[in-house]
Amino acid sequence: MNSIFEVSRTQRKLAGQILENFSLEQLNTIPEGYSNNLFWNIAHVVVTQQLLVYKLSGLPMLVSDELVERYKKGTAVTAPATQEEVHQVKALLEETLVQTEKDYNNGVFVNYSEYPTSTGFVIKSISDALTFNVFHEGLHLGIMMRLKKLV
């Protein structure tokens, strides 16, 4: 599992650099032909990781219900992000991953509710969830790389 967490750290670092290097206006820009912006994609990966890893394990998530409702699968931008939200999500990028790795190493994840993803892959365990999450964050990182060129 060490490589899964290492890849996740790399992906999260790249997402954090976007939050640091783009203006609030750029983070909130939705280019023509896209349904969401840079900030939504970053907040979405944080929320999705929490849903896949903690919620489906029957454990409390490390993010607020409000954040989940705004950035879960199937949502779209309803209001521009504030600078405060950018700071919050930047902190969560690191904090949630650090805590997840600690919890995994401490054997916190005992139960798991099977979840069929929209890709057709069925997540059956915490190991599956962590592996799928790397795939999911990679997809969104690719979208972010494209959006960076358009804002």
Side-chain angles (χ1 to χ4, degrees), residues 12 42-52 54-55 59-72 88-89 91-93 95-97 99-100:
R12 297 279 178 110
I42 296 168
H44 172 73
V45 299
V46 170
V47 162
T48 300
Q49 185 261 1
Q50 290 292 294
L51 290 167
L52 292 174
Y54 284 87
K55 186 164 182 103
L59 298 169
M61 292 185 291
L62 308 172
V63 298
S64 69
D65 291 340
E66 177 186 38
L67 200 68
V68 172
E69 287 307 309
R70 282 189 70 185
Y71 299 104
K72 67 184 178 181
Q88 176 193 27
V89 168
L92 287 170
L93 274 170
E95 292 167 7
T96 55
L97 188 58
Q99 189 61 50
T100 300

Side-chain angles (χ1 to χ4, degrees), residues 67-116:
L67 200 68
V68 172
E69 287 307 309
R70 282 189 70 185
Y71 299 104
K72 67 184 178 181
K73 178 181 173 182
T75 62
V77 174
T78 56
T82 65
Q83 194 62 55
E84 181 180 321
E85 290 169 315
V86 171
H87 291 306
Q88 176 193 27
V89 168
K90 175 128 178 26
L92 287 170
L93 274 170
E94 182 177 351
E95 292 167 7
T96 55
L97 188 58
V98 166
Q99 189 61 50
T100 300
E101 188 169 13
K102 282 181 189 174
D103 288 344
Y104 181 81
N105 290 333
N106 289 330
V108 169
F109 303 105
V110 177
N111 300 311
Y112 198 84
S113 296
E114 192 172 287
Y115 178 73

Side-chain angles (χ1 to χ4, degrees), residues 11-21 42 90 93:
Q11 290 173 320
R12 297 279 178 110
K13 181 181 176 186
L14 292 169
Q17 288 172 349
I18 292 170
L19 292 176
E20 290 172 0
N21 297 324
I42 296 168
K90 175 128 178 26
L93 274 170

